[in-house]
Amino acid sequence: MEKWKSIIFRIIAKVVAFFYRDFHWKILSLTLAFLLWFVGINVNNPIQTDAYDNLPLMVLHRDHLAQNNVVLLNEQQLNNARVGVSIQATRGDHAIIRAARNDNILASVDLSTINFDQVHEADSTVRVQVDVDVFIHQNHVARAMRPSTIELLLDRHGDLSLPIEVDPIGTPLEGFEKRPAQLVNTMVRLSGAQSILDEVAGVRVRAYIDNAYRTVEEVKPLVVYNRNREDITSSVNLSFQTVHVRVPILPYNDIPLEINATGNPMPGFMVTEVSINPSAVALVGPEEDISNISNIMLGDIDLTLANQNIQQSFEILPAIADTGLTLREGAPEEAVVSVVVERVIARNFSLPLENVTVSGYVRPFTFVSAGPLTVSVRGRESVIGSMTLNQIRANLDLTGLGAGTHTVQLGINVPRFAALANNVTVEVTIEAETIVFEPVEPPDWTADLEDDNDEDEAEMESETEPEEETGIDASDISDIGGEAEGDSADTLDYDYNEVNDEDDEYDDDEYDEDIADEDEVGGGVENDDPEIEENIAYS
């Protein structure tokens, strides 16, 4: 043991002696060696800090979002995020890092570190700060991160099913009507952030039908819009993106409405008006079906023993149920039938003879009775009550009557919605007619017939002219005192109405004056034609 201790002490003494021998030279050599190493390192492969910007950000453990029923709202922002980092390394290592930068530097956020409980507890979206980690090849030191954290906007995941609405764009051609759209799929399922689904107002598909005259069929994309009418289709997930839509375009036509009135009103009452509001409705359907229908019968309305106005509503849809047609959009589905029932009254009017017009007037006549005529009119109270004598028109037709006393029924015209309740007759006396013949000098037949010049023909025509004007011959008269036939009747035929055209209603004084004038000429008609007065005389 002592031997080994002696050996160790001798070795230590030799080592100490070695270091202390020429010690200053040894320190100098070591310093020079370090300096040479330091210079060599910095000249050939120095250590430096470089910045690496615009690095993509990798999102790790995305599946944790779906597993926790959470939606990342700013995913697009996260995908577009860029990170910068400063790395300290030798020049050689930096060259290696730059050669494959995306493989040697990886910036990432880990979603598994998020506390998802706070997302489910919140009423709306949640903002979360997540650290950005950087993996550097060969474990070099990252001196700075830009940014060091990133903000995530998280929300609960939701589902929503909505009906698809068709939005027709434009107006069909005049005379055509769009019918309700038909869809292959009527419901669509939406999924996404609950806060976005809460703002969804509907899902629409647009169908363009401007100036269409036949059915439109298209495959169109679905559009999701919020309460502000903004398109948010890209913010939600749809169970399908497009749908087949069909919009029937059919012609329409106005068809009149009709009602069947049954029964009779109470005695003393009458139906004066039946109206239907609306009077017609527009029906839509195939052209061949519309052309086969001329009216729509609403049903029956009972007027039995009615003594007041009646109003009744009728549904239109049951009346067209068997036609295969439908009402035009916006057309009324009910029609109101109004029946006006009025009391019937009778009223008597005293018609003066001066108000009677005469037709077929040939010879003088007189009324047997000079008093007024009683005209009884019957009709609805609103018309008869306001009726005046001037609205009654009476006509006496003497056509074909000979001399003597005759009972003639007057033609009475009363206003619309009024009826004549009695027959009005008058007795008239027509005076007999006396015809006086004047000799007519025969033509000179002894003249030279061969000398047929224009002067002789003109003289013969003038000599025979009186015979042609009178047209009266003994052979033409069948009954003395009866009506003359031939040209004399035409000459004497003048309408009593023409005499009274200027004043239909004349007073008794004027009537008496006319009768007196007739008596002066023997009861004949006063005429300004001298030839007629010369050839015809009245007794």
Side-chain angles (χ1 to χ4, degrees):
M1 184 71 179
E2 292 294 334
K3 183 180 178 180
W4 285 104
K5 287 181 179 180
S6 175
I7 294 172
I8 292 174
F9 283 129
R10 283 198 298 270
I11 294 173
I12 292 173
K14 289 182 179 181
V15 170
V16 171
F18 175 79
F19 278 103
Y20 279 100
R21 185 184 303 127
D22 298 327
F23 180 74
H24 58 284
W25 291 109
K26 291 178 180 178
I27 293 298
L28 180 62
S29 298
L30 184 60
T31 301
L32 292 173
F34 178 76
L35 290 173
L36 290 173
W37 174 81
F38 184 78
V39 171
I41 287 298
N42 283 278
V43 171
N44 294 324
N45 191 23
I47 296 175
Q48 59 188 29
T49 300
D50 287 349
Y52 295 86
D53 296 321
N54 203 29
L55 297 173
L57 184 63
M58 179 181 295
V59 181
L60 304 178
H61 301 109
R62 285 179 182 266
D63 56 337
H64 278 61
L65 297 175
Q67 292 173 7
N68 290 274
N69 201 29
V70 173
V71 178
L72 179 62
L73 296 179
N74 60 338
E75 183 174 3
Q76 189 65 32
Q77 179 184 354
L78 197 63
N79 293 335
N80 295 333
R82 292 294 180 264
V83 176
V85 62
S86 296
I87 300 174
Q88 187 180 40
T90 64
R91 180 182 296 175
D93 288 341
H94 280 300
I96 295 173
I97 294 172
R98 288 192 182 92
R101 186 179 66 168
N102 292 338
D103 294 333
N104 291 293
I105 306 176
L106 300 176
S108 64
V109 291
D110 189 355
L111 301 184
S112 63
T113 62
I114 299 174
N115 180 12
F116 292 106
D117 291 338
Q118 59 178 327
V119 180
H120 293 287
E121 293 172 359
D123 294 333
S124 185
T125 58
V126 175
R127 297 182 181 275
V128 179
Q129 295 288 340
V130 181
D131 294 334
V132 178
D133 295 329
V134 177
F135 168 77
I136 306 172
H137 183 65
Q138 296 180 352
N139 295 323
H140 291 291
V141 179
R143 294 298 183 186
M145 295 289 302
R146 298 177 301 275
S148 60
T149 60
I150 193 165
E151 186 179 66
L152 304 181
L153 190 60
L154 303 176
D155 194 5
R156 290 171 292 130
H157 183 274
D159 292 308
L160 180 65
S161 293
L162 290 175
I164 301 174
E165 303 173 16
V166 179
D167 189 10
I169 306 299
T171 305
L173 202 63
E174 182 67 25
F176 291 84
E177 174 80 2
K178 63 177 178 61
R179 293 286 81 200
Q182 303 165 0
L183 297 172
V184 175
N185 299 309
T186 58
M187 301 289 294
V188 62
R189 182 173 174 270
L190 288 74
S191 60
Q194 189 62 48
S195 60
I196 296 179
L197 294 181
D198 291 341
E199 294 295 321
V200 172
V203 181
R204 288 183 175 273
V205 58
R206 297 186 177 97
Y208 295 90
I209 60 170
D210 196 36
N211 290 326
Y213 57 90
R214 57 186 177 185
T215 299
V216 175
E217 292 192 51
E218 296 177 316
V219 176
K220 306 296 292 184
L222 297 177
V223 179
V224 183
Y225 60 96
N226 61 13
R227 296 172 184 174
N228 295 327
R229 308 296 295 179
E230 297 171 340
D231 188 346
I232 58 171
T233 308
S234 60
S235 302
V236 297
N237 298 318
L238 298 170
S239 55
F240 51 87
Q241 302 294 325
T242 60
V243 67
H244 183 275
V245 58
R246 181 176 185 270
V247 182
I249 305 295
L250 298 174
Y252 68 86
N253 193 18
D254 290 334
I255 307 298
L257 299 176
E258 293 188 3
I259 193 72
N260 181 34
T262 61
N264 295 315
M266 183 179 291
F269 291 84
M270 65 182 297
V271 175
T272 60
E273 183 180 354
V274 178
S275 62
I276 305 175
N277 185 28
S279 60
V281 292
L283 298 186
V284 182
E287 188 173 354
E288 58 273 14
D289 293 342
I290 293 180
S291 60
N292 290 333
I293 181 170
S294 59
N295 60 72
I296 302 172
M297 181 60 67
L298 295 176
D300 297 337
I301 186 168
D302 188 11
L303 305 180
T304 303
L305 299 180
N307 60 359
Q308 60 183 356
N309 296 342
I310 299 175
Q311 192 173 76
Q312 185 174 340
S313 297
F314 289 85
E315 293 186 1
I316 300 176
L317 292 177
I320 63 173
D322 298 333
T323 64
L325 305 174
T326 58
L327 289 175
R328 189 183 179 191
E329 185 176 354
E333 296 183 0
E334 276 190 352
V336 178
V337 178
S338 300
V339 180
V340 178
V341 179
E342 292 193 40
R343 184 183 299 275
V344 177
I345 64 172
R347 185 179 174 189
N348 293 332
F349 292 88
S350 294
L351 181 67
L353 293 176
E354 292 84 351
N355 288 12
V356 178
T357 61
V358 181
S359 62
Y361 181 67
V362 177
R363 293 185 299 277
F365 73 93
T366 57
F367 288 104
V368 174
S369 175
L373 304 173
T374 300
V375 178
S376 180
V377 180
R378 182 176 180 272
R380 66 188 193 185
E381 188 173 9
S382 62
V383 174
I384 304 302
S386 60
M387 188 173 170
T388 64
L389 181 62
N390 292 334
Q391 294 177 278
I392 300 177
R393 296 287 182 265
N395 178 63
L396 174 63
D397 187 5
L398 300 180
T399 303
L401 298 181
T405 300
H406 305 275
T407 300
V408 182
Q409 181 174 330
L410 293 181
I412 306 293
N413 292 325
V414 294
R416 187 183 178 189
F417 300 120
L420 188 65
N422 67 326
N423 293 326
V424 182
T425 60
V426 294
E427 289 188 3
V428 294
T429 299
I430 300 177
E431 298 182 9
E433 179 181 24
T434 302
I435 301 177
V436 178
F437 294 95
E438 292 185 358
V440 178
E441 185 178 351
D444 186 8
W445 299 106
T446 62
D448 189 4
L449 296 178
E450 295 180 357
D451 188 11
D452 189 11
N453 52 43
D454 294 339
E455 294 180 358
D456 293 337
E457 290 178 359
E459 182 179 355
M460 292 177 64
E461 289 178 0
S462 61
E463 290 175 351
T464 58
E465 187 175 356
E467 182 178 352
E468 292 179 0
E469 288 180 354
T470 57
I472 300 175
D473 191 84
S475 62
D476 293 331
I477 300 175
S478 59
D479 185 9
I480 303 298
E483 182 179 355
E485 296 180 355
D487 294 340
S488 63
D490 294 337
T491 305
L492 295 175
D493 185 13
Y494 91 96
D495 193 347
Y496 185 78
N497 290 331
E498 296 180 0
V499 178
N500 296 316
D501 279 343
E502 294 182 359
D503 188 4
D504 289 340
E505 299 179 4
Y506 52 89
D507 53 26
D508 294 340
D509 296 335
E510 291 176 344
Y511 181 77
D512 294 338
E513 183 178 351
D514 292 341
I515 298 299
D517 292 338
E518 292 175 0
D519 292 337
E520 282 183 355
V521 297
V525 178
E526 185 177 358
N527 199 313
D528 294 334
D529 191 344
E531 295 181 359
I532 296 179
E533 292 183 354
E534 194 175 300
N535 291 282
I536 301 176
Y538 296 100
S539 59

